[in-house]
Amino acid sequence: MGESHNGYIRGTSSCNRKPHQRTHEKEAGWPKRAAHHQRYVEKSSCTSPVPDISSLTLHFKGEDIFHVSKKVNETLIFNTFVLCQVLNEFNARKMEKKNVFEGIHKNKLFMGIIGITVVLQVVMVEFLNKFADTERLNWRQWAVCIAISAASWPIGFLVKFIPVPERPWFSYLKLKRLMFI
């Protein structure tokens, strides 16, 4: 009995199995994935300043532009930043395709995550004021937040027309490999 038990363990051990064919295919596809990652980084870096620029603008000039209190302005900053992240997920969904909405109705998980995030954001801003330290926003303020956040869509569309070379731009610099921690 002890011998058959050891045989069972030996037979199911991952150390004794031959690697699956797809493991080798994934390793062989590494340069292609690295190039795809480089294109992703370069193209997403063009839309990533939208939340930063909008947050900084609202932080320094929001009260004057929208004639609101400091608390409402802070809520506008928070709401715009979160909505920028949510709406930029559409651009990040298909980096190489110009129509980021193509087939979106088929991706139930993506739509569920977006829906839950938006619902939670509305609940936090409108109903959990004390918990989230927010002020309720009127419809005009919500529209401003959505409009600023949606700025990443046309920028993301235009960025897709910028050709990305196979060789990363920073490889022309004579720098040693950088380590990010």
Side-chain angles (χ1 to χ4, degrees):
M1 182 164 157
E3 189 174 323
S4 65
H5 179 68
N6 288 339
Y8 173 75
I9 291 174
R10 253 185 274 127
T12 58
S13 170
S14 62
C15 297
N16 293 331
R17 288 189 219 151
K18 291 183 179 179
H20 193 272
Q21 179 62 32
R22 285 201 286 185
T23 304
H24 297 295
E25 291 169 2
K26 286 180 183 176
E27 289 172 4
W30 168 246
K32 185 177 181 183
R33 285 196 323 267
H36 174 75
H37 177 72
Q38 178 62 33
R39 285 191 293 275
Y40 172 79
V41 168
E42 289 179 3
K43 289 192 176 199
S44 67
S45 64
C46 293
T47 58
S48 62
V50 172
D52 301 328
I53 292 168
S54 60
S55 295
L56 287 170
T57 303
L58 288 172
H59 178 73
F60 291 110
K61 294 292 184 183
E63 292 175 44
D64 296 332
I65 295 171
F66 298 109
H67 309 292
V68 294
S69 68
K70 181 177 180 170
K71 188 86 163 164
V72 171
N73 192 49
E74 289 172 354
T75 303
L76 286 170
I77 293 168
F78 169 65
N79 201 37
T80 302
F81 187 81
V82 171
L83 291 176
C84 277
Q85 304 308 316
V86 170
L87 296 183
N88 198 40
E89 287 178 32
F90 289 90
N91 282 331
R93 188 174 157 263
K94 295 196 176 204
M95 290 301 295
E96 299 298 323
K97 305 247 179 182
K98 294 190 178 40
N99 183 3
V100 294
F101 301 106
E102 182 181 348
I104 201 162
H105 62 282
K106 296 177 185 175
N107 195 337
K108 306 276 189 249
L109 179 63
F110 179 79
M111 292 307 295
I113 291 169
I114 295 294
I116 289 169
T117 306
V118 169
V119 167
L120 288 174
Q121 181 65 15
V122 170
V123 167
M124 283 182 68
V125 169
E126 295 297 321
F127 303 110
L128 298 176
N129 305 94
K130 291 189 194 264
F131 174 75
D133 197 28
T134 58
E135 279 293 316
R136 293 187 75 168
L137 300 178
N138 62 35
W139 287 105
R140 180 179 167 266
Q141 293 162 340
W142 272 99
V144 166
C145 291
I146 293 168
I148 292 170
S149 303
S152 67
W153 284 350
I155 293 169
F157 180 75
L158 294 173
V159 164
K160 293 180 188 213
F161 290 98
I162 299 171
V164 178
E166 288 299 317
R167 184 175 173 192
W169 62 269
F170 58 81
S171 68
Y172 293 102
L173 302 173
K174 303 278 187 209
L175 298 175
K176 295 193 184 235
R177 186 178 177 155
L178 299 174
M179 300 287 287
F180 294 91
I181 298 175

